[in-house]
Amino acid sequence: MVVSKNTTTPPGARKKKLTAVKVNVNGSVFLTSLEALQAGAKKSCTSDVLSDLVEQAENNPGQELVLDRPPGAVSAYTTIFRYLNIPSAKLSHVIDVGVLCREAKHMGLEELAHKATTGNHIGWRSSDVFSNSTMSNSLQGRRSSLPAFGLD
């Protein structure tokens, strides 16, 4: 039995063709799209970094763009480019929230910096995970299962 999939595009729908852009941040290469950079640049009102990257990508199609940042900042760019490509995605694999916030602000991505500081990426900061009443009720009357060392 052969099953065929309908691969035709519905009437009126258009396939989006994205323009790939490689950005080299201190030797680490990240892949994004010109369209993602343009969308990020429209949101950015505190920095021209994304606008400059858009201009470079438009003037030099296919060439790798270079973004020179401090050595410790590279870890934040995985999250930054994931955010540019999928703005609604939850943050994950954040190594250093402080570095992410600093680099997001450098790029003019205030919304990303805010997401990082409000704990969008880790449930422990969320009020629905730990509220004061939940904490006090769940900890009442419990003893530690860990042995006390050095208390004779």
Side-chain angles (χ1 to χ4, degrees), residues 4-82:
S4 66
K5 291 184 178 181
N6 182 1
T7 58
T8 59
T9 305
R14 300 174 82 194
K15 288 185 179 180
K16 289 184 179 180
K17 188 172 182 175
L18 300 176
T19 306
V21 176
K22 288 182 183 179
V23 182
N24 183 326
V25 182
N26 294 0
S28 295
V29 179
F30 299 93
L31 187 62
T32 188
S33 68
L34 176 60
E35 294 75 13
L37 291 174
Q38 289 168 333
K42 286 179 185 176
K43 291 180 185 179
S44 176
C45 56
T46 59
S47 173
D48 292 330
V49 174
L50 286 171
S51 298
D52 292 344
L53 288 174
V54 167
E55 186 178 333
Q56 289 175 37
E58 290 173 339
N59 293 338
N60 306 297
Q63 287 191 346
E64 189 174 280
L65 307 180
V66 177
L67 186 59
D68 187 30
R69 299 300 300 142
V74 174
S75 63
Y77 282 88
T78 300
T79 303
I80 289 171
F81 284 108
R82 186 180 309 118

Side-chain angles (χ1 to χ4, degrees), residues 72-95:
V74 174
S75 63
Y77 282 88
T78 300
T79 303
I80 289 171
F81 284 108
R82 186 180 309 118
Y83 171 78
L84 286 171
N85 293 333
I86 309 169
S88 62
K90 289 248 184 201
L91 304 183
S92 62
H93 306 292
V94 176
I95 296 169

